[in-house]
Amino acid sequence: MNLERVSNEEKLNLCRKYYLGGFALLPFLWLVNVFWFFREAFLAPAYSEQGQIKSYVQRSAVGLLFWLVVLTAWITVFQTHRAQWGEVGDYLSFTIPLGLP
């Protein structure tokens, strides 16, 4: 999408939609929001909607960072303790590795 062809109000509306969509357990939308609107929020010449876009981009970055920390912690714990959890670890696994833990 070429943001240069979109009006400032539409940019704000789209940025808000991606920000709110991230709360539906879709942190990828926050990643997209940060990448698409970073330039508009921090590097573009000032315009009236820029403050709100900047706020949404910053909040999206914080939410994305939070999800990255949570997912990294869960993956680390799961990978290191799955075998010790026995049957529960097997039920949580999509594929069960063969061999000794």
Side-chain angles (χ1 to χ4, degrees), residues 11-28:
K11 289 177 192 176
L12 176 60
N13 189 24
L14 183 62
C15 186
R16 181 184 301 120
K17 285 180 183 178
Y18 277 105
Y19 171 70
L20 294 175
F23 285 108
L25 300 179
L26 299 170
F28 180 72

Side-chain angles (χ1 to χ4, degrees), residues 57-76:
V57 170
Q58 289 172 338
R59 292 180 200 172
S60 294
V62 169
L64 178 63
L65 181 63
F66 171 77
W67 271 101
L68 285 175
V69 169
V70 168
L71 288 175
T72 302
W74 166 246
I75 291 168
T76 302

Side-chain angles (χ1 to χ4, degrees), residues 20-52:
L20 294 175
F23 285 108
L25 300 179
L26 299 170
F28 180 72
L29 291 179
W30 285 334
L31 176 67
V32 171
N33 204 18
V34 170
F35 277 114
W36 274 10
F37 290 101
F38 183 84
R39 186 172 293 137
E40 287 294 322
F42 298 103
L43 304 176
Y47 54 92
S48 60
E49 292 87 357
Q50 189 176 26
Q52 290 177 307

